[in-house]
Amino acid sequence: MLAGCQGFPSDVRESNFQPSNNPVTVDSVSRNNKLAELARAQHPRILATYGGEYSDPKLERMVAKVVGSLTTVSNNPTQTYRITILNSPNVNAFALPGGYLYVTRGLLALANDSAELAAVIAHEMGHVTANHGLQRQQKEAEEVLATKVVTDVLGETPNAKLALIRGKLRLAQFSRNQELEADAIGIKTSQLAGYDPNAAARFLQSMSDYTNFRNISGATDPSLDFLASHPNAPQRIELARAHARQFGPPGTGATDRDSFLAGIDGLLYGDTPQEGFVRGNTFLHPKLGISFSVPSNFAIDNSAAAVTATGPGDMAIRFDGVTLDAKVTLPDYIRSGWVTGLDPTSVRSETINGNEAAIASARAEGWQFDITVIRVGGQVYRLLTAAPLANTSMNVIARQVGGSFKALSDSEKAALKPLRIRVITVKPGDTVGSLSAKMAGVDRKLDLFRLLNALSPVASVSAGDKVKIISDQ
């Protein structure tokens, strides 16, 4: 379900549109509707993958207003939709059976007006309207059968491989056609609702720019982003522009920018306190009360499962925590069998910033590993560093990272606050440079400011404009 846009037809009826009020159970759908039952089964997995529901009544009202306006003019106005805002910094949106729509807070942070949000949601509604979910299921089932037949009859001959390649290309083309069809339906629907039809092309461009920015910064899990499962190319953006021109020149339709910006003002940006914060090259967790740093040429990725960092020379670092009986010593824990290729003679006790610790090394299948475990209170934390055997700097990096681990003081924990989107009005004398300098807790401030506000490299701001910045205030 998470592999891409998922759209399904549904016979579900509700008396009126309403935003998500209890998305964990989704009890408002018919229990006799098999597609709705599928949505209900997948919903907890969606929440677990994307950090749960993001609860903000002001924000939900704004999103619900957009969804409601699209519903009345869609190809199937009797289809009802329920929106769930996901508490994830990733930029994504998708649909499940029964008319259930999902949008991440990361996508809302990237959009700049209601018309752009309408374009995304109308695209997902287009998948539902066009029955793409069932079509995709049928096509994939046919492809599995074809693969089995080709393998059984032709074996591993070159002709067999060529047949399989052609089949995969047909399936990929089918997927692209679905996306383009949903684009066309979405642009028409948002235009009928009174929104600027050019917003779809604008937001496709913003998402493309976001992908490029993320690839450089290494932030968030790209597999959970919209463009990981939605084909994107300059040609697709140009097709969106061409669809929009059918309804009028740029400037046609409403953007409802002020209402949108008022809705996202105060929106959580980036990581949650429950998952800890990444500030530059340092990871800090206010709830656990710990922090550590990686070299400046490493990129940190913080997820619910673990914190990982990648650096030059195929080096990688993983950080997580385990519960361990206080009676078990840290050297004994390392020797307990969970480390493959452990060198028993390398295990030794250490003290890191006043905390009990143990260090060891291991080798397996062309890789070398450093294992550092640290006990803070009743919790044990693990820093695992990996690099190819040819890498000569791993031990130095591992000692640097391990030595940076520390317990946070009460004042340090209290000073840690989540980042939020703040909408401010440009004052006389303000520039792109001065406004971006006001942002806190992020790297590449100027580039990110332009990205969040869809400003080209040469665009400027004028007094009275409203812009988004990132702040911990």
Side-chain angles (χ1 to χ4, degrees):
M1 280 300 184
L2 297 180
C5 273
Q6 303 295 332
F8 293 79
S10 172
D11 294 327
V12 175
R13 298 291 182 270
E14 292 181 346
S15 59
N16 61 336
F17 168 80
Q18 58 178 323
S20 169
N21 54 17
N22 190 4
V24 176
T25 58
V26 196
D27 286 332
S28 59
V29 298
S30 169
R31 295 185 182 276
N32 295 322
N33 186 319
K34 291 183 179 180
L35 292 175
E37 289 174 3
L38 179 59
R40 190 183 302 111
Q42 293 295 328
H43 187 81
R45 302 177 192 177
I46 298 273
L47 292 179
T49 303
Y50 285 88
E53 183 189 19
Y54 185 76
S55 180
D56 181 342
K58 173 174 68 76
L59 183 67
E60 279 207 13
R61 284 194 296 271
M62 183 273 289
V63 176
K65 175 185 174 184
V66 173
V67 176
S69 64
L70 293 172
T71 302
T72 59
V73 299
S74 69
N75 287 358
N76 182 8
T78 60
Q79 168 74 60
T80 55
Y81 297 90
R82 175 175 298 235
I83 190 79
T84 297
I85 301 172
L86 296 169
N87 189 16
S88 170
N90 293 86
V91 175
N92 211 343
F94 44 88
L96 282 184
Y100 287 83
L101 304 175
Y102 297 84
V103 60
T104 61
R105 59 175 170 83
L107 187 144
L108 295 173
L110 184 62
N112 271 283
D113 55 47
S114 296
E116 292 184 359
L117 176 60
V120 173
I121 293 176
H123 170 101
E124 300 305 331
M125 292 170 64
H127 281 300
V128 176
T129 302
N131 297 343
H132 284 163
L134 293 183
Q135 292 176 14
R136 186 184 296 272
Q137 282 185 333
Q138 181 180 3
K139 191 71 176 181
E140 290 177 347
E142 292 173 354
E143 195 60 35
V144 169
L145 179 61
T147 299
K148 181 174 179 10
V149 170
V150 168
T151 302
D152 290 347
V153 175
L154 300 179
E156 292 297 322
T157 66
N159 286 338
K161 293 180 179 179
L162 181 60
L164 290 176
I165 290 172
R166 287 173 175 168
K168 292 182 184 299
L169 288 175
R170 284 195 299 271
L171 183 60
Q173 184 63 48
F174 177 81
S175 176
R176 284 195 293 272
N177 287 341
Q178 282 187 329
E179 298 298 344
L180 295 176
E181 183 181 3
D183 282 347
I185 294 173
I187 291 170
K188 179 180 180 180
T189 301
S190 60
Q191 182 271 335
L192 289 173
Y195 291 111
D196 177 9
N198 296 278
R202 288 202 309 271
F203 196 59
L204 281 171
Q205 184 64 59
S206 289
M207 285 192 290
S208 179
D209 294 340
Y210 159 79
T211 299
N212 295 333
F213 178 88
R214 185 206 59 216
N215 287 342
I216 296 174
S217 65
T220 73
D221 181 353
S223 68
L224 300 180
D225 285 327
F226 189 89
L227 294 184
S229 53
H230 295 63
N232 189 46
Q235 293 86 348
R236 186 182 180 194
I237 296 174
E238 187 52 45
L239 280 173
R241 292 193 179 112
H243 284 305
R245 283 195 290 269
Q246 298 176 17
F247 304 107
T252 301
T255 61
D256 198 16
R257 177 173 165 83
D258 288 346
S259 173
F260 177 84
L261 292 179
I264 68 168
D265 189 24
L267 175 68
L268 186 66
Y269 181 87
D271 300 320
T272 67
Q274 289 72 29
E275 294 182 351
F277 303 133
V278 175
R279 299 289 187 265
N281 66 329
T282 300
F283 174 77
L284 309 101
H285 202 299
K287 300 294 184 182
L288 299 177
I290 54 90
S291 74
F292 69 90
S293 299
V294 299
S296 58
N297 56 351
F298 276 63
I300 302 179
D301 184 19
N302 181 25
S303 71
V307 181
T308 58
T310 54
D314 292 328
M315 200 177 311
I317 299 168
R318 176 187 171 95
F319 171 80
D320 61 14
V322 294
T323 301
L324 185 65
D325 192 312
K327 297 178 182 178
V328 178
T329 69
L330 295 184
D332 285 345
Y333 170 62
I334 292 179
R335 298 189 189 100
S336 63
W338 60 277
V339 179
T340 301
L342 175 67
D343 176 6
T345 65
S346 68
V347 182
R348 65 186 187 274
S349 297
E350 291 278 353
T351 299
I352 296 179
N353 291 321
N355 300 299
E356 176 191 355
I359 296 172
S361 59
R363 291 191 175 199
E365 298 180 358
W367 288 81
Q368 55 180 323
F369 305 92
D370 179 272
I371 303 97
T372 300
V373 293
I374 307 166
R375 180 175 265 143
V376 179
Q379 186 74 18
V380 171
Y381 299 98
R382 306 187 297 187
L383 279 164
L384 309 177
T385 306
L389 288 175
N391 189 305
T392 59
S393 61
M394 188 200 73
N395 289 332
V396 174
I397 298 298
R399 296 287 69 75
Q400 178 184 339
V401 174
S404 71
F405 181 95
K406 69 172 186 175
L408 299 174
S409 66
D410 290 340
S411 60
E412 288 174 323
K413 288 187 287 186
L416 282 175
K417 297 179 181 178
L419 300 178
R420 297 186 181 277
I421 294 288
R422 295 299 181 190
V423 178
I424 61 174
T425 301
V426 178
K427 298 177 181 178
D430 283 342
T431 65
V432 169
S434 66
L435 291 168
S436 64
K438 294 181 179 180
M439 301 208 298
V442 294
D443 295 324
R444 301 173 60 204
K445 294 181 179 181
L446 180 59
D447 292 340
L448 184 56
F449 178 82
R450 289 190 180 279
L451 174 62
L452 288 175
N453 292 284
L455 297 174
S456 72
V458 296
S460 58
V461 293
S462 302
D465 290 348
K466 291 183 178 180
V467 294
K468 297 178 286 183
I469 65 170
I470 298 170
S471 172
D472 58 1
Q473 303 299 316

